Short mmCIF file of all heavy atoms in Angstrom, two decimals:
data_model
loop_
_atom_site.label_atom_id
_atom_site.label_comp_id
_atom_site.label_asym_id
_atom_site.label_seq_id
_atom_site.Cartn_x
_atom_site.Cartn_y
_atom_site.Cartn_z
N THR M 1 99.35 95.26 102.58
CA THR M 1 100.45 95.83 103.35
C THR M 1 99.88 96.53 104.59
O THR M 1 98.72 96.95 104.59
CB THR M 1 101.25 96.84 102.51
OG1 THR M 1 100.36 97.81 101.95
CG2 THR M 1 101.98 96.12 101.38
N PRO M 2 100.68 96.67 105.65
CA PRO M 2 100.15 97.21 106.92
C PRO M 2 100.08 98.73 106.93
O PRO M 2 100.57 99.39 107.85
CB PRO M 2 101.15 96.69 107.95
CG PRO M 2 102.44 96.58 107.20
CD PRO M 2 102.06 96.16 105.80
N THR M 3 99.46 99.31 105.92
CA THR M 3 99.25 100.74 105.89
C THR M 3 97.97 101.09 106.65
O THR M 3 97.11 100.23 106.87
CB THR M 3 99.15 101.26 104.45
OG1 THR M 3 98.17 100.48 103.75
CG2 THR M 3 100.47 101.12 103.72
N LEU M 4 97.85 102.34 107.05
CA LEU M 4 96.73 102.75 107.91
C LEU M 4 95.52 103.14 107.06
O LEU M 4 95.09 104.28 107.02
CB LEU M 4 97.17 103.92 108.80
CG LEU M 4 98.40 103.66 109.68
CD1 LEU M 4 98.67 104.85 110.58
CD2 LEU M 4 98.26 102.38 110.49
N LYS M 5 94.94 102.12 106.40
CA LYS M 5 93.81 102.35 105.51
C LYS M 5 92.62 101.45 105.84
O LYS M 5 91.77 101.20 104.98
CB LYS M 5 94.24 102.13 104.06
CG LYS M 5 95.23 103.16 103.54
CD LYS M 5 95.48 102.97 102.06
CE LYS M 5 96.33 104.10 101.50
NZ LYS M 5 96.53 103.97 100.04
N GLY M 6 92.56 100.97 107.06
CA GLY M 6 91.43 100.15 107.46
C GLY M 6 91.69 98.67 107.33
O GLY M 6 92.57 98.22 106.58
N SER M 7 90.90 97.90 108.07
CA SER M 7 91.08 96.45 108.11
C SER M 7 90.84 95.80 106.76
O SER M 7 91.55 94.87 106.38
CB SER M 7 90.13 95.86 109.16
OG SER M 7 90.31 94.46 109.26
N LYS M 8 89.85 96.28 106.02
CA LYS M 8 89.54 95.67 104.72
C LYS M 8 90.73 95.76 103.79
O LYS M 8 91.04 94.82 103.05
CB LYS M 8 88.32 96.35 104.10
CG LYS M 8 87.87 95.72 102.79
CD LYS M 8 86.63 96.41 102.25
CE LYS M 8 86.19 95.80 100.93
NZ LYS M 8 84.99 96.48 100.37
N TRP M 9 91.41 96.89 103.79
CA TRP M 9 92.61 97.07 102.96
C TRP M 9 93.66 96.03 103.30
O TRP M 9 94.21 95.36 102.42
CB TRP M 9 93.17 98.47 103.15
CG TRP M 9 94.49 98.70 102.47
CD1 TRP M 9 95.73 98.36 102.94
CD2 TRP M 9 94.70 99.27 101.18
NE1 TRP M 9 96.70 98.70 102.03
CE2 TRP M 9 96.09 99.26 100.94
CE3 TRP M 9 93.86 99.81 100.21
CZ2 TRP M 9 96.65 99.76 99.78
CZ3 TRP M 9 94.42 100.31 99.05
CH2 TRP M 9 95.79 100.28 98.83
N ARG M 10 93.95 95.89 104.58
CA ARG M 10 95.04 95.00 105.00
C ARG M 10 94.68 93.53 104.85
O ARG M 10 95.51 92.71 104.47
CB ARG M 10 95.43 95.31 106.45
CG ARG M 10 96.11 96.65 106.64
CD ARG M 10 96.53 96.87 108.08
NE ARG M 10 95.38 97.02 108.96
CZ ARG M 10 94.77 98.18 109.21
NH1 ARG M 10 95.18 99.28 108.61
NH2 ARG M 10 93.74 98.24 110.04
N LYS M 11 93.44 93.19 105.15
CA LYS M 11 93.09 91.77 105.26
C LYS M 11 92.45 91.19 103.99
O LYS M 11 92.11 90.01 103.96
CB LYS M 11 92.21 91.55 106.48
CG LYS M 11 92.98 91.89 107.77
CD LYS M 11 92.34 91.38 109.02
CE LYS M 11 93.26 91.60 110.21
NZ LYS M 11 92.72 91.07 111.47
N SER M 12 92.35 92.01 102.97
CA SER M 12 91.88 91.49 101.69
C SER M 12 92.86 90.49 101.10
O SER M 12 92.52 89.72 100.19
CB SER M 12 91.65 92.64 100.69
OG SER M 12 92.86 93.36 100.48
N ILE M 13 94.07 90.48 101.61
CA ILE M 13 95.10 89.56 101.11
C ILE M 13 94.91 88.15 101.64
O ILE M 13 95.59 87.21 101.20
CB ILE M 13 96.50 90.09 101.47
CG1 ILE M 13 97.57 89.49 100.54
CG2 ILE M 13 96.84 89.82 102.94
CD1 ILE M 13 98.95 90.08 100.72
N TYR M 14 94.00 87.96 102.59
CA TYR M 14 93.84 86.64 103.21
C TYR M 14 93.52 85.58 102.14
O TYR M 14 92.59 85.73 101.36
CB TYR M 14 92.73 86.66 104.26
CG TYR M 14 92.60 85.34 105.01
CD1 TYR M 14 93.62 84.90 105.85
CD2 TYR M 14 91.47 84.54 104.86
CE1 TYR M 14 93.52 83.70 106.52
CE2 TYR M 14 91.36 83.33 105.54
CZ TYR M 14 92.40 82.92 106.37
OH TYR M 14 92.30 81.71 107.03
N GLN M 15 94.31 84.52 102.11
CA GLN M 15 94.24 83.44 101.13
C GLN M 15 94.42 83.94 99.70
O GLN M 15 94.08 83.24 98.75
CB GLN M 15 92.93 82.65 101.27
CG GLN M 15 92.84 81.87 102.57
CD GLN M 15 91.74 80.84 102.57
OE1 GLN M 15 90.64 81.07 102.07
NE2 GLN M 15 92.03 79.66 103.11
N ASN M 16 94.97 85.14 99.56
CA ASN M 16 95.23 85.72 98.25
C ASN M 16 96.65 86.24 98.11
O ASN M 16 96.94 87.01 97.20
CB ASN M 16 94.25 86.87 97.97
CG ASN M 16 92.89 86.38 97.54
OD1 ASN M 16 92.76 85.73 96.51
ND2 ASN M 16 91.87 86.69 98.32
N MET M 17 97.53 85.84 99.05
CA MET M 17 98.91 86.32 98.98
C MET M 17 99.57 85.81 97.71
O MET M 17 99.50 84.63 97.39
CB MET M 17 99.70 85.88 100.21
CG MET M 17 101.09 86.50 100.29
SD MET M 17 102.03 85.93 101.72
CE MET M 17 101.08 86.61 103.06
N GLY M 18 100.18 86.71 96.99
CA GLY M 18 100.78 86.37 95.72
C GLY M 18 99.85 86.60 94.55
O GLY M 18 100.28 86.57 93.39
N VAL M 19 98.58 86.82 94.83
CA VAL M 19 97.59 87.03 93.78
C VAL M 19 97.09 88.47 93.80
O VAL M 19 97.38 89.26 92.90
CB VAL M 19 96.40 86.05 93.93
CG1 VAL M 19 95.38 86.29 92.82
CG2 VAL M 19 96.90 84.61 93.89
N ILE M 20 96.37 88.85 94.86
CA ILE M 20 95.77 90.19 94.91
C ILE M 20 96.83 91.28 95.03
O ILE M 20 96.72 92.33 94.38
CB ILE M 20 94.75 90.28 96.06
CG1 ILE M 20 93.93 91.57 95.93
CG2 ILE M 20 95.42 90.19 97.43
CD1 ILE M 20 92.80 91.64 96.95
N ASN M 21 97.88 91.03 95.81
CA ASN M 21 98.93 92.04 95.97
C ASN M 21 99.74 92.20 94.68
O ASN M 21 100.11 93.31 94.29
CB ASN M 21 99.83 91.71 97.16
CG ASN M 21 100.39 90.31 97.14
OD1 ASN M 21 99.82 89.40 96.55
ND2 ASN M 21 101.52 90.10 97.79
N THR M 22 100.00 91.09 94.00
CA THR M 22 100.72 91.14 92.74
C THR M 22 99.90 91.87 91.68
O THR M 22 100.43 92.68 90.91
CB THR M 22 101.06 89.72 92.26
OG1 THR M 22 101.75 89.03 93.30
CG2 THR M 22 101.94 89.75 91.02
N ASN M 23 98.62 91.58 91.65
CA ASN M 23 97.74 92.23 90.68
C ASN M 23 97.68 93.74 90.91
O ASN M 23 97.71 94.53 89.96
CB ASN M 23 96.35 91.62 90.73
CG ASN M 23 95.43 92.20 89.68
OD1 ASN M 23 94.61 93.09 89.96
ND2 ASN M 23 95.55 91.72 88.46
N ASP M 24 97.59 94.13 92.19
CA ASP M 24 97.58 95.57 92.51
C ASP M 24 98.83 96.24 91.98
O ASP M 24 98.78 97.32 91.37
CB ASP M 24 97.48 95.78 94.01
CG ASP M 24 96.06 95.65 94.55
OD1 ASP M 24 95.14 95.41 93.75
OD2 ASP M 24 95.89 95.79 95.78
N GLN M 25 99.99 95.63 92.23
CA GLN M 25 101.25 96.23 91.78
C GLN M 25 101.30 96.33 90.26
O GLN M 25 101.69 97.38 89.71
CB GLN M 25 102.43 95.39 92.29
CG GLN M 25 102.79 95.60 93.74
CD GLN M 25 103.49 96.92 94.00
OE1 GLN M 25 104.14 97.49 93.13
NE2 GLN M 25 103.36 97.43 95.23
N ALA M 26 100.91 95.27 89.57
CA ALA M 26 100.99 95.27 88.12
C ALA M 26 100.02 96.28 87.51
O ALA M 26 100.38 97.01 86.57
CB ALA M 26 100.71 93.87 87.58
N GLN M 27 98.79 96.32 88.03
CA GLN M 27 97.81 97.27 87.50
C GLN M 27 98.25 98.71 87.77
O GLN M 27 98.06 99.59 86.92
CB GLN M 27 96.43 97.00 88.11
CG GLN M 27 95.84 95.64 87.76
CD GLN M 27 95.77 95.38 86.27
OE1 GLN M 27 95.47 96.28 85.48
NE2 GLN M 27 96.07 94.15 85.87
N ALA M 28 98.82 98.94 88.94
CA ALA M 28 99.32 100.29 89.25
C ALA M 28 100.48 100.65 88.34
O ALA M 28 100.61 101.80 87.89
CB ALA M 28 99.73 100.37 90.71
N ALA M 29 101.37 99.69 88.07
CA ALA M 29 102.49 99.95 87.17
C ALA M 29 101.99 100.31 85.77
O ALA M 29 102.51 101.24 85.13
CB ALA M 29 103.41 98.73 87.11
N LYS M 30 101.00 99.59 85.29
CA LYS M 30 100.43 99.89 83.98
C LYS M 30 99.88 101.32 83.95
O LYS M 30 100.08 102.06 82.98
CB LYS M 30 99.32 98.91 83.64
CG LYS M 30 99.78 97.50 83.32
CD LYS M 30 98.58 96.60 83.02
CE LYS M 30 98.99 95.17 82.74
NZ LYS M 30 97.80 94.30 82.47
N LYS M 31 99.18 101.71 85.02
CA LYS M 31 98.59 103.04 85.08
C LYS M 31 99.68 104.12 85.11
O LYS M 31 99.57 105.14 84.42
CB LYS M 31 97.70 103.15 86.31
CG LYS M 31 96.93 104.46 86.40
CD LYS M 31 95.93 104.60 85.26
CE LYS M 31 95.07 105.85 85.42
NZ LYS M 31 94.11 105.73 86.54
N VAL M 32 100.71 103.86 85.88
CA VAL M 32 101.81 104.82 85.97
C VAL M 32 102.50 104.97 84.62
O VAL M 32 102.80 106.08 84.17
CB VAL M 32 102.82 104.38 87.05
CG1 VAL M 32 104.10 105.20 86.98
CG2 VAL M 32 102.20 104.50 88.44
N LEU M 33 102.74 103.86 83.94
CA LEU M 33 103.41 103.90 82.65
C LEU M 33 102.57 104.63 81.61
O LEU M 33 103.10 105.33 80.74
CB LEU M 33 103.71 102.47 82.17
CG LEU M 33 104.77 101.70 82.97
CD1 LEU M 33 104.77 100.23 82.60
CD2 LEU M 33 106.16 102.30 82.75
N ALA M 34 101.26 104.48 81.72
CA ALA M 34 100.37 105.15 80.77
C ALA M 34 100.21 106.63 81.09
O ALA M 34 99.90 107.43 80.20
CB ALA M 34 99.00 104.46 80.78
N THR M 35 100.43 107.00 82.33
CA THR M 35 100.21 108.39 82.77
C THR M 35 101.43 109.27 82.54
O THR M 35 101.30 110.43 82.12
CB THR M 35 99.83 108.41 84.27
OG1 THR M 35 98.66 107.62 84.47
CG2 THR M 35 99.58 109.84 84.74
N TYR M 36 102.61 108.73 82.81
CA TYR M 36 103.83 109.53 82.74
C TYR M 36 104.61 109.18 81.47
O TYR M 36 105.24 108.12 81.39
CB TYR M 36 104.68 109.32 83.99
CG TYR M 36 103.97 109.73 85.27
CD1 TYR M 36 103.51 108.78 86.17
CD2 TYR M 36 103.74 111.07 85.54
CE1 TYR M 36 102.86 109.16 87.34
CE2 TYR M 36 103.08 111.46 86.70
CZ TYR M 36 102.64 110.50 87.59
OH TYR M 36 101.98 110.88 88.73
N ASN M 37 104.60 110.09 80.52
CA ASN M 37 105.24 109.84 79.23
C ASN M 37 106.76 109.74 79.33
O ASN M 37 107.41 109.23 78.41
CB ASN M 37 104.86 110.94 78.24
CG ASN M 37 103.40 110.90 77.87
OD1 ASN M 37 102.79 109.82 77.85
ND2 ASN M 37 102.81 112.06 77.58
N PHE M 38 107.34 110.22 80.43
CA PHE M 38 108.79 110.16 80.56
C PHE M 38 109.28 108.78 80.98
O PHE M 38 110.49 108.53 81.05
CB PHE M 38 109.30 111.23 81.54
CG PHE M 38 108.66 111.18 82.91
CD1 PHE M 38 109.08 110.27 83.87
CD2 PHE M 38 107.64 112.06 83.23
CE1 PHE M 38 108.52 110.24 85.13
CE2 PHE M 38 107.05 112.04 84.49
CZ PHE M 38 107.49 111.12 85.45
N LEU M 39 108.37 107.84 81.26
CA LEU M 39 108.76 106.47 81.61
C LEU M 39 108.81 105.62 80.35
O LEU M 39 107.87 105.62 79.55
CB LEU M 39 107.77 105.87 82.61
CG LEU M 39 107.66 106.59 83.96
CD1 LEU M 39 106.62 105.92 84.83
CD2 LEU M 39 109.01 106.63 84.67
N ASP M 40 109.90 104.88 80.20
CA ASP M 40 110.12 104.05 79.02
C ASP M 40 109.46 102.69 79.24
O ASP M 40 109.94 101.89 80.06
CB ASP M 40 111.61 103.90 78.77
CG ASP M 40 111.93 103.24 77.43
OD1 ASP M 40 111.02 102.61 76.85
OD2 ASP M 40 113.08 103.36 76.98
N GLU M 41 108.40 102.39 78.51
CA GLU M 41 107.68 101.13 78.68
C GLU M 41 108.51 99.92 78.27
O GLU M 41 108.15 98.78 78.58
CB GLU M 41 106.38 101.16 77.88
CG GLU M 41 105.37 102.18 78.38
CD GLU M 41 104.07 102.13 77.60
OE1 GLU M 41 104.02 101.40 76.59
OE2 GLU M 41 103.12 102.82 78.01
N LYS M 42 109.61 100.15 77.57
CA LYS M 42 110.47 99.05 77.15
C LYS M 42 111.62 98.83 78.13
O LYS M 42 112.43 97.91 77.92
CB LYS M 42 111.03 99.33 75.75
CG LYS M 42 109.96 99.38 74.67
CD LYS M 42 110.56 99.64 73.31
CE LYS M 42 109.48 99.70 72.23
NZ LYS M 42 110.06 99.96 70.88
N ARG M 43 111.69 99.66 79.16
CA ARG M 43 112.74 99.49 80.18
C ARG M 43 112.10 99.60 81.57
O ARG M 43 112.29 100.56 82.30
CB ARG M 43 113.84 100.55 80.00
CG ARG M 43 114.66 100.36 78.73
CD ARG M 43 115.86 101.30 78.71
NE ARG M 43 115.47 102.70 78.57
CZ ARG M 43 116.32 103.72 78.68
NH1 ARG M 43 117.60 103.50 78.97
NH2 ARG M 43 115.88 104.96 78.53
N VAL M 44 111.33 98.56 81.88
CA VAL M 44 110.62 98.51 83.16
C VAL M 44 111.29 97.45 84.03
O VAL M 44 111.35 96.27 83.66
CB VAL M 44 109.13 98.18 82.96
CG1 VAL M 44 108.41 98.12 84.31
CG2 VAL M 44 108.48 99.22 82.05
#
């Protein structure tokens, strides 16, 4: 995504669209669900 975190952050998606960005979202979701007990893992 075009956030202000350097070229490597933005351009790591090259030839990886749908793969690296999806993996980031899923791994972050897993971490969030594991961190915050008030989130229902069965209603995501």
Side-chain angles (χ1 to χ4, degrees):
T1 53
T3 52
L4 303 184
K5 292 187 173 183
S7 182
K8 184 178 179 181
W9 173 277
R10 291 183 292 273
K11 296 195 172 182
S12 60
I13 201 173
Y14 184 66
Q15 292 195 319
N16 281 299
M17 188 182 294
V19 180
I20 191 173
N21 52 335
T22 306
N23 184 261
D24 279 359
Q25 282 286 334
Q27 296 305 321
K30 289 179 182 179
K31 185 64 175 290
V32 169
L33 291 168
T35 302
Y36 299 108
N37 293 329
F38 55 81
L39 299 178
D40 190 343
E41 294 183 353
K42 296 181 180 180
R43 292 189 292 172
V44 180

